Structure formats: C-alpha cells, structure tokens
Amino acid sequence: MSSEWPLWEVFIRGQHGLNHRHVGSLHAPDAELAIRHARDVYTRRNEGVSIWVVRSADISASSPSEKGPLFEPSNDKVYRHPTFYDIPDDVGHM
Amino acid sequence: MYAQMVKTDGKGIKPDAEMTPEERRFQARIDAGEKIEPKEWMPDAYRQTLIRQIGQHAHSEIVGQLPEGNWITRAPTLERKAILLAKVQDEAGHGLYLYCAAETLGVSRDELTEALLSGKMKYSSIFNYPTLTWADIGAVGWLVDGAAIMNQVPLQRTSYGPYSRAMIRICKEESFHQRQGYDIMMKMAQGTPEQKRMAQDALDRFWYPSLMMFGPSDKDSVHSAQSMAWKIKINTNDELRQKFVDQTVPQAEYLGLSIPDPDLSWNEDKGGYDFSQPDWSEFFAVLKGNGPCNRDRIEARQQAWDDGRWFRDGLSAHATKAQARRAASKVAAE
Ligand SMILES: [Fe+2]
Ligand SMILES: [Fe+2]
C-alpha cells in the first residue's frame, strides 16, 4: 500500500498568552500522532504551551489573485488609525 | 554549504526585453524585497531550481545525522551523549522543516526521498567523510556546522517565503551546534598529548572537505548569476569561503592547533587570509559517488526507509480503521 501520511499544519501558542501561531507543517497518520510529532519537531526548546494541528487539506485560503479586491479597500481608510486625528498637546495623553 | 552546484534551467539571467510581463513583475517583486509565497505565480525555472536547492539542503541535514550518529553510543560521558543526541535530533528537525518547504513547491515527500535513494538528488559532499575518533565530532560541530551557518545566515533573507522561514528557525538552533563542537575541541586540545594529537588530526582531515562545502568558485557561473538575481543565493561561493577562513583561523590559534595549509597567510591589503584551495578533483569524485562513505550513507538511508515501511503502513491502516469506526458509531447514534 505505502501511501504518504497526510500533511498537517501546526500552530503553537507560546509562553506569554499570545495567539496560536502557524509554525510549519509535518506528515502524520492521524491527529494524535501529528500532535506528538509537532511536539518533537517544533517545541524542542520550550517554544510552546499548546499545540493545534489541522489537516492541510482542510484549510481554505484566499487566493493571491484576490489580493487587490480583498485588501485594497482598507488602504484608503486612513481615519481608522489614531494618527489621523490631531489632538492638541494641551489636551494631554490620549 | 549544504546545497552545492545547484543548476538553474536557464542560460543565465534573461535580459529585461526578453521577459514576459509576468516575469518582469515577478523580478520587480523580488528586487523590492517582497517574499514569494507558495500559491503565487513564479517562473517554472525558479520553482525547479528551488526544489533542487531546498531538496539538496534537506537531504544534507538528514544524511548529516549519520557521521555524528556514529558516536552517540560511544560518547565519552553521559552529558556529551545527551548533547550529541540533542544535536542530531535538531538536524532531523532541520531536514523536516526543509522538506516541508520543498513540498510547498509541488513535489511530494516520497518523491524527494526516492530521488535521494536513487542518487538522482545529491547531498553535501562533506557527509561522505568518516568520523574516526571522538575529536572528529568536535571538528564536525566546529567546522561543518560553522560552514553551514556561514551559508544559512544570509539565506534567511531568501526570496521564497517558506524557505526563508525554515532558515530562520534553523539558524536559531545552529549556534549551539557549533559551540558544542568547539567545546569538545577545547577539551581535547587542552588534554593529554595524545588527545591534542587527535584534535590536530581531526582538523587536518576536516579542513579541506570543509572548504569544499562552499562549492567551487562560481564567480563566472551563469547558474549562480540567475540564482542571485532571484535571491535564492545571496553570496558567491568564494565570498563565503573567505569569510569562513577568516573566522576560523583565529579559533584554531586559540586552540593551539595549526591549519594544515603551509601557504596560509594574512593579507593586509584585502583584510583577509590567503589560503590554498582544496583539491577540486577530489570534490568532483566525492560528488560522483566515490568518496570514502558514499555507499554506506545511501545504504543506511535505504535500510531505514525499507525497515520503516511496515511501521508507516501500519499506522496508516490504523488511522483509516479508526476513522471508519468513528464514522460508523456516528451513523449508529443518529
Ligand atoms: Fe542543521
Ligand atoms: Fe547543525
């Protein structure tokens, strides 16, 4: 039979309460072993306190050709950033 | 370096006028320092060259475990044994990061493994030399990992996103490798006269093969020019070799060991050492498969692959059955 183990994407939460972050991928026969492999491959130096794995085939991704329509609309909305507004120094920190 | 003499498909850099609009846009993105990500458009030659380069790099990490693995059972102390195990385990991890990066380009893990076993893909020439004494383990960490670091640090800035990210992870782990090697060399060099002789002997045998790791001079190579334009190669082989020599000579002096090169001398004008080239005919013979350990290395990989088959298949069968069982019990419950 000899077919390849499926590919999994690995997400790790670091020590300081940040979000799980994508760190890479690996092959494993099932979720349980994917987590064990992820422990060995991606957390040899205390990189994490929690691991998520998900089959790569189950991830839907935006396509590079949609970059414009998806992300350009936010470019011209400068008023979403605090620096858009001039607050006089006299007002103090805001 | 771990990828030696990687050929591009083209005949060098295409003049701007001959590029298609897509190719021109692609080159502009690279020139602007943007990263190229897996699903984005890329020239086929870029993709194929990267598969060869990252694949060769991955194979080197994996095969590179063998000369060091040779000493795990015979490390002189429990501490040295634990350190060497951790180091070799890191190299396995490096291989895996890189295989995953190569796979994002559309080649499968099994295809890469088969290309290594059949000899279609190469790994670094350095791993075809034997590790005869414990001092060799020191020399490998100090010189071989040292040379690898020289090459890998600039590659963190490479244009292909997954490759660059793998390099960043790898570089974080490498400096421990080099330092533990130098630590072994210090112990040996400060030890009994016999230990010091072993350290000198290890340096004598690993010096020129380490210089070969960077590959022959490529200042006139069309392949290298293309790879540099694509930012999948950052420095020329000679630049990296020079940096390596300049860094290593004072380290050898500190150990009280001598570099086996009678023509080695400081060149004030260039601010670096003049040194002898390795024997390039030996390098080509080793690449062809005629180094001291080529056959052993591939046999060991082949045996690991064959012996592991029942295990890989068994776990796959278990996963399939468990999934069927879960599906059946879900139906029963409905
Ligand atoms: Fe490595
Ligand atoms: Fe290493």
Side-chain angles (χ1 to χ4, degrees):
Chain A
M1 56 183 259
S2 252
S3 59
E4 264 187 23
W5 289 345
L7 195 63
W8 300 75
E9 300 302 322
V10 180
F11 301 81
I12 307 259
R13 191 213 307 279
Q15 309 282 350
H16 308 292
L18 297 175
N19 294 328
H20 282 78
R21 208 174 125 216
H22 183 243
V23 293
S25 48
L26 49 75
H27 288 271
D30 56 29
E32 192 191 334
L33 277 163
I35 288 176
R36 288 196 196 194
H37 289 180
R39 198 278 310 255
D40 290 342
V41 179
Y42 292 107
T43 66
R44 288 194 301 283
R45 288 177 178 77
N46 273 328
E47 287 92 337
V49 293
S50 162
I51 301 173
W52 288 349
V53 294
V54 58
R55 285 277 294 261
S56 309
D58 291 335
I59 290 189
S60 310
S62 64
S63 116
S65 63
E66 288 174 316
K67 233 189 212 163
L70 283 179
F71 306 115
E72 267 162 28
S74 75
N75 275 349
D76 54 11
K77 296 179 180 57
V78 280
Y79 44 81
R80 283 178 173 162
H81 298 280
T83 45
F84 179 74
Y85 306 92
D86 283 327
I87 305 291
D89 287 347
D90 297 345
V91 178
H93 176 75
M94 184 181 286
Chain B
M1 66 159 89
Y2 280 9
Q4 294 158 323
M5 307 198 59
V6 176
K7 295 237 167 28
T8 56
D9 288 332
K11 304 167 197 63
I13 306 169
K14 258 194 196 174
D16 193 68
E18 282 174 33
M19 285 191 191
T20 65
E22 265 170 329
E23 286 171 335
R24 205 168 296 135
R25 250 195 315 275
F26 178 80
Q27 189 61 53
R29 289 188 61 200
I30 289 184
D31 295 342
E34 279 183 41
K35 295 279 181 243
I36 309 301
E37 295 297 339
K39 283 164 64 189
E40 295 170 344
W41 186 87
M42 60 188 84
D44 198 49
Y46 175 86
R47 183 188 299 278
Q48 296 309 328
T49 306
L50 266 179
I51 290 175
R52 277 196 289 273
Q53 179 172 332
I54 301 174
Q56 203 184 106
H57 197 153
H59 295 326
S60 299
E61 302 283 355
I62 297 297
V63 176
Q65 295 176 93
L66 296 170
E68 292 182 292
N70 183 36
W71 279 91
I72 289 174
T73 56
R74 293 175 287 160
T77 66
L78 187 56
E79 186 185 60
R80 290 287 184 197
K81 181 181 179 135
I83 291 170
L84 185 56
L85 258 176
K87 199 260 185 196
V88 171
Q89 193 189 13
D90 272 357
E91 305 301 2
H94 297 178
L96 296 178
Y97 309 154
L98 287 159
Y99 280 133
C100 285
E103 285 174 84
T104 62
L105 292 157
V107 63
S108 77
R109 179 75 60 93
D110 282 3
E111 281 167 348
L112 289 167
T113 305
E114 277 151 23
L116 168 69
L117 295 179
S118 73
K120 216 182 119 210
M121 283 180 91
K122 303 287 181 211
Y123 53 90
S124 175
S125 55
I126 190 72
F127 301 118
N128 291 310
Y129 290 86
T131 43
L132 303 175
T133 74
W134 174 250
D136 288 12
I137 298 305
V140 167
W142 172 36
L143 301 173
V144 176
D145 288 82
I149 291 170
M150 270 302 148
N151 169 246
Q152 291 169 336
V153 165
L155 278 176
Q156 294 178 99
R157 292 181 282 122
T158 190
S159 61
Y160 188 56
Y163 191 23
S164 154
R165 291 189 284 273
M167 278 299 125
I168 290 169
R169 283 195 79 85
I170 288 175
C171 286
K172 268 195 203 139
E173 300 178 349
E174 284 292 356
S175 82
F176 141 57
H177 297 179
Q178 192 185 17
R179 291 171 76 129
Q180 66 85 35
Y182 196 72
D183 191 60
I184 293 174
M185 291 306 273
M186 286 197 295
K187 210 46 183 213
M188 300 294 284
Q190 293 158 5
T192 64
E194 202 186 345
Q195 286 171 320
K196 187 163 181 186
R197 262 200 307 281
M198 281 167 72
Q200 181 63 55
D201 171 59
L203 172 57
D204 289 348
R205 280 180 291 107
F206 276 94
W207 175 252
Y208 287 106
S210 300
L211 296 188
M212 289 179 202
M213 288 176 70
F214 300 96
S217 177
D218 61 349
K219 60 184 194 309
D220 306 316
S221 158
V222 292
H223 300 294
S224 293
Q226 176 62 82
S227 290
M228 287 174 100
W230 281 334
K231 289 192 192 158
I232 59 182
K233 185 179 172 73
I234 312 291
N235 305 92
T236 67
N237 296 347
D238 290 323
E239 278 166 12
L240 292 172
R241 190 170 11 253
Q242 181 71 53
K243 273 181 88 173
F244 174 75
V245 171
D246 293 344
Q247 171 191 285
T248 309
V249 171
Q251 295 168 350
E253 277 166 6
Y254 180 85
L255 292 172
L257 301 178
S258 50
I259 304 279
D261 179 356
D263 295 327
L264 184 85
S265 65
W266 177 254
N267 180 332
E268 191 63 51
D269 292 338
K270 75 172 178 187
Y273 286 92
D274 289 331
F275 57 94
S276 304
Q277 291 290 310
D279 175 359
W280 290 112
S281 64
E282 175 182 320
F283 170 77
F284 287 110
V286 173
L287 268 203
K288 262 216 187 87
N290 299 321
C293 301
N294 296 58
R295 201 174 314 152
D296 285 1
R297 301 298 185 231
I298 292 299
E299 265 171 25
R301 289 312 307 151
Q302 183 73 55
Q303 194 190 344
W305 181 242
D306 293 343
D307 291 354
R309 172 159 290 137
W310 69 270
F311 182 73
R312 295 192 300 275
D313 289 351
L315 288 178
S316 293
H318 172 76
T320 312
K321 271 193 195 161
Q323 198 180 11
R325 229 178 288 128
R326 269 196 306 275
S329 67
K330 210 168 157 196
V331 171
E334 275 167 7

